[in-house]
């Protein structure tokens, strides 16, 4: 290979890494709006019932296509509710429960309750 053509490592992703917002930088209205959507609430509930970094984006049982699912994950990231990272070709998720609870005490427990 020539000097200017250095190959990327085999494990490198061609995707842009997800951008995250810390819950302390989120307005209550933003958090509530993110949690008010039934699909996003289902994602948060499934993450709450899972171990950190256990769930890939494709492992959720929600009635939306891939593009819509990506949008829902972006809304949850911008509300400080989830963190995502790439693991090979997959993107894995965790609920930012402790960080969210620190900024919005009790809110996540309230919305996770089932009637």
């Amino acid at each position: 290979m020539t000097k200017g053509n250095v190959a990327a490592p085999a494990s490198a992703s061609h995707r842009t890494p997800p951008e995250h917002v810390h819950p302390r930088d989120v307005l209550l209205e933003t958090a509530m709006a993110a949690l008010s959507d039934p699909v996003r609430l289902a994602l948060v509930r499934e993450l709450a019932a899972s171990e950190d970094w256990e769930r890939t984006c494709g492992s959720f049982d929600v009635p939306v296509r891939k593009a819509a699912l990506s949008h829902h994950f972006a809304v949850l990231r911008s509300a400080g509710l989830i963190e995502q990272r790439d693991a090979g070709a997959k993107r894995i998720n965790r609920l930012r429960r402790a960080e969210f609870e620190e900024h919005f005490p009790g809110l996540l427990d309230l919305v996770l309750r089932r009637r």
Side-chain angles (χ1 to χ4, degrees), residues 2 5 20 26 36 41-42 50 53 57 63 66 68-69 85-88 93-96 99 101 103:
T2 64
N5 289 333
H20 298 94
V26 173
S36 69
L41 185 55
S50 304
W53 308 117
C57 290
K66 189 176 179 178
L69 186 58
R85 68 179 183 206
D86 292 330
N93 304 275
R94 83 170 183 97
L95 183 62
R96 298 179 78 174
E99 301 101 302
E101 176 67 20
H103 190 64

Side-chain angles (χ1 to χ4, degrees), residues 44-79:
V44 168
R45 283 183 171 149
E46 287 190 41
L47 281 171
S50 304
E51 296 293 323
D52 285 355
W53 308 117
E54 178 181 80
R55 301 294 299 272
T56 64
C57 290
S59 71
F60 293 88
D61 185 24
V62 288
V64 296
R65 295 183 188 264
K66 189 176 179 178
L69 186 58
S70 294
H71 167 73
H72 287 298
F73 281 124
V75 170
L76 291 172
R77 282 194 318 268
S78 64

Side-chain angles (χ1 to χ4, degrees), residues 25 32 55 74 81-82 90 104 110:
D25 299 323
M32 295 298 292
R55 301 294 299 272
L81 281 154
I82 67 166
K90 298 186 185 264
F104 299 110
L110 284 172

